[in-house]
């Protein structure tokens, strides 16, 4: 969970506690138990959404690592074949093998 989300949920829980303790005094100001319960539900939904986000982030991170490993393998193989062509054929023939002359 991110620090921002954690901090905001802690603040919400703290104010919920204070509102519950002073419910009678705040009733005249328009605070009802239903509104207070909505705040509790909002905090719970944020925590649930944050947990899902963290799971997706972990999955995405694993996929990025896998993709980077595949890319490294592709680069290595490309370099091997590029060097094979460069070392065994004159520069004029490189285009025939799909290798552009970038010198």
């Amino acid at each position: 969970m991110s620090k921002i989300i954690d901090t905001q949920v802690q603040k919400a829980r703290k104010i919920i506690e204070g509102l519950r303790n002073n419910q009678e005094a705040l009733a005249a100001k328009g605070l009802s138990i239903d509104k207070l319960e909505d705040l509790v539900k909002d905090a719970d939904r944020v925590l649930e959404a944050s947990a899902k986000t963290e799971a997706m982030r972990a999955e995405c991170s694993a996929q990025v690592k896998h993709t980077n490993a595949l890319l490294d393998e592709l680069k290595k193989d490309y370099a091997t074949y590029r060097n094979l062509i460069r070392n065994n054929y004159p520069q004029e023939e490189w285009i025939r093998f799909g290798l552009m002359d970038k010198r």
Side-chain angles (χ1 to χ4, degrees):
M1 173 181 330
S2 77
K3 183 67 175 167
I4 293 170
I5 292 172
D6 186 39
T7 301
Q8 192 60 47
V9 169
Q10 285 178 359
K11 287 179 185 179
R13 296 239 165 127
K14 188 72 170 170
I15 201 168
I16 289 166
E17 181 182 331
L19 293 172
R20 280 189 178 148
N21 292 338
N22 297 288
Q23 205 168 356
E24 299 81 27
L26 294 169
K29 305 289 185 194
L31 177 68
S32 68
I33 293 175
D34 293 337
K35 289 181 182 177
L36 187 57
E37 289 305 315
D38 287 344
L39 185 59
V40 171
K41 289 176 186 176
D42 287 346
D44 291 341
R45 283 195 300 257
V46 167
L47 287 176
E48 183 181 324
S50 180
K52 287 180 182 178
T53 301
E54 289 299 320
M56 290 170 66
R57 188 175 286 137
E59 182 180 334
C60 184
S61 179
Q63 182 63 41
V64 167
K65 287 178 184 178
H66 176 69
T67 301
N68 287 339
L70 292 173
L71 179 60
D72 288 344
E73 187 176 327
L74 175 65
K75 286 179 178 180
K76 186 181 99 185
D77 290 346
Y78 174 80
T80 299
Y81 293 121
R82 183 190 68 218
N83 288 334
L84 177 81
I85 293 166
R86 283 183 163 182
N87 294 334
N88 292 299
Y89 294 95
Q91 189 172 357
E92 300 79 32
E93 292 185 35
W94 291 357
I95 192 76
R96 185 177 97 189
F97 296 98
L99 186 62
M100 305 305 280
D101 177 22
K102 292 192 177 184
R103 289 188 195 188

